[in-house]
Amino acid sequence: VSNSERNVAMSMWLGLTLDGIPEALMLGFMTNDGSLSWVLLVSVFIANFPEAFSAASLLKGHGLSTARIMLMWTAVFVNTGLLAMVGSLILPDDVAPGSLLDRERSLATSTLEGLTGGAMMAMTATAMLPEAFHGAGQASGLLFVSGFLVSVILNGMGARIGQPQD
């Protein structure tokens, strides 16, 4: 396993760690807002699990111990959970619609959604896509588009049957 593969794995881990910060805060905000849906939670899992799995297998192939890899991912898991709790605690849940606080909450949520999407796109473009093309060749493009279609279908299913929780 080359140094570039180890760098890709560490980049993926760091990308998920950085992506987890606004993502977790946003999940905490959405919990208080009542707009957290099962579709979003499934989407977060679908987006994060393959990245974590592939990064962990690259790290394992480079010789890192299973204990160290588990410690790295446990740190991401614990930090994400704590930040979701912080997001829920700092956002008031009894905000009058149309108030200044409601607009600020919407702005904060939109900003976090943008940061989350940007962090995910940056990590995907710099670490995942080049490695996928290196490993799978032309099939990586088809798999990437298929993953996008699954996310669109999940979003459509959520709009149809899984409205946000009340």
Side-chain angles (χ1 to χ4, degrees):
V1 177
S2 70
N3 264 350
S4 81
E5 287 178 346
R6 182 169 193 245
N7 290 342
V8 167
M10 292 302 286
S11 295
M12 291 170 72
W13 177 80
L14 183 61
L16 280 171
T17 302
L18 294 174
D19 175 57
I21 295 169
E23 187 176 90
L25 289 169
M26 185 183 69
L27 288 173
F29 285 5
M30 293 176 82
T31 300
N32 283 12
D33 194 29
S35 61
L36 187 62
S37 69
W38 68 271
V39 173
L40 178 66
L41 292 176
V42 168
S43 298
V44 168
F45 177 77
I46 287 173
N48 290 339
F49 181 76
E51 295 163 4
F53 185 78
S54 60
S57 58
L58 286 172
L59 289 169
K60 183 71 173 167
H62 194 67
L64 265 70
S65 69
T66 301
R68 183 166 180 182
I69 294 168
M70 291 297 291
L71 182 63
M72 290 170 66
W73 291 110
T74 300
V76 172
F77 173 75
V78 169
N79 286 335
T80 302
L82 289 173
L83 285 170
M85 182 183 73
V86 167
S88 180
L89 292 174
I90 64 173
L91 185 74
D93 55 359
D94 57 348
V95 177
S99 68
L100 177 62
L101 193 54
D102 183 45
R103 288 192 298 269
E104 288 176 0
R105 181 174 63 177
S106 293
L107 178 63
T109 302
S110 298
T111 301
L112 288 174
E113 286 175 358
L115 286 172
T116 299
M120 183 59 67
M121 286 174 48
M123 194 265 300
T124 299
T126 59
M128 294 186 69
L129 289 177
E131 186 64 22
F133 185 76
H134 175 72
Q138 298 294 331
S140 62
L142 179 62
L143 292 171
F144 181 77
V145 171
S146 298
F148 177 76
L149 289 175
V150 168
S151 68
V152 169
I153 290 168
L154 276 174
N155 190 26
M157 286 173 48
R160 181 111 171 120
I161 62 173
Q163 297 300 321
Q165 300 170 356
D166 291 331

